[in-house]
Amino acid sequence: TGQDTDTTSSETFNINVGKFKLVEGRVKIQSPDTLLPSEVQHLNTQLSFGMKEGRQNLQLDNFSFSTKSPDMVLEKLSFKLNQAPDVINLSGFHLKTAKNQLEGDVKYAEDIEKESTATLQSSPLQLNEFEFYLPGLSIPVSPVFMLDASMNDGTVQAIVKLEDGTQRIHLDLTSDN
């Protein structure tokens, strides 16, 4: 008929979860795999999530649980994650177990000409907390771990430090792509 058909749509797909909360959840697990816990208890989370026009955001205010056989405690995991079409930002990352803590921020730009960065820092690592998962591994120090990395115009630079008192490992890395 000679008429053009418009196949574009002005409709958009949006999701908005203003607040999701789970309080004192519990999961029992029956598995022959001894690395899997027999029970997850005190499972708590609070988060919000949104998706609109190619952008996503997730704010995890709290995620925590404890396990039995093997015993482990995740006291808190929290972060804010934002994704735009060309950049992903992870900010306020905080992970705390019964004996360890890790904090950091990450920014990843899809375009290699834009800067991407990552910073992570731990409290003194108590690796004996994970001895069930790493049997026979005994490390007699409690180092602080630090990472400061960036990528810009295809060049990656990273500084990695492990420090415990007067003992130090310092790596200064650069890679041109």
Side-chain angles (χ1 to χ4, degrees):
T1 63
Q3 293 180 343
D4 290 333
T5 304
D6 184 5
T7 58
T8 61
S9 172
S10 63
E11 294 179 28
T12 58
F13 181 72
N14 297 327
I15 295 176
N16 184 21
V17 178
K19 186 176 190 179
F20 173 83
K21 192 171 188 177
L22 174 66
V23 178
E24 289 301 312
R26 185 173 167 196
V27 178
K28 288 198 168 234
I29 301 170
Q30 292 181 333
S31 173
D33 189 342
T34 58
L35 289 179
L36 292 176
S38 64
E39 188 173 348
V40 179
Q41 54 191 7
H42 308 295
L43 182 58
N44 297 287
T45 191
Q46 182 173 327
L47 62 89
S48 59
F49 173 76
M51 195 165 93
K52 182 177 183 178
E53 298 175 1
R55 297 180 180 272
Q56 296 86 34
N57 62 66
L58 169 65
Q59 181 157 337
L60 182 63
D61 294 316
N62 181 49
F63 180 67
S64 61
F65 63 83
S66 61
T67 65
K68 282 188 174 182
S69 301
D71 296 345
M72 191 182 114
V73 175
L74 176 62
E75 290 183 7
K76 184 170 188 170
L77 172 62
S78 62
F79 58 82
K80 186 172 186 177
L81 180 67
N82 291 302
Q83 180 182 4
D86 59 346
V87 177
I88 299 172
N89 278 309
L90 174 69
S91 60
F93 178 84
H94 180 80
L95 173 71
K96 182 165 179 29
T97 64
K99 297 181 179 180
N100 290 285
Q101 185 168 304
L102 183 65
E103 295 182 343
D105 296 287
V106 177
K107 176 185 173 189
Y108 171 75
E110 191 173 300
D111 183 349
I112 64 168
E113 292 181 3
K114 294 184 179 177
E115 186 175 37
S116 296
T117 59
T119 58
L120 290 172
Q121 182 163 345
S122 74
S123 60
L125 295 171
Q126 306 297 319
L127 296 176
N128 63 338
E129 180 176 29
F130 308 106
E131 66 189 353
F132 180 86
Y133 300 103
L134 305 167
L137 180 65
S138 177
I139 299 177
V141 295
S142 299
V144 171
F145 170 79
M146 291 172 274
L147 168 72
D148 188 4
S150 65
M151 181 173 71
N152 201 355
D153 289 327
T155 299
V156 176
Q157 294 182 315
I159 296 173
V160 179
K161 295 179 185 178
L162 287 167
E163 298 179 356
D164 183 19
T166 60
Q167 300 178 48
R168 293 188 169 101
I169 296 174
H170 179 107
L171 300 172
D172 197 342
L173 310 165
T174 301
S175 172
D176 293 320
N177 289 342

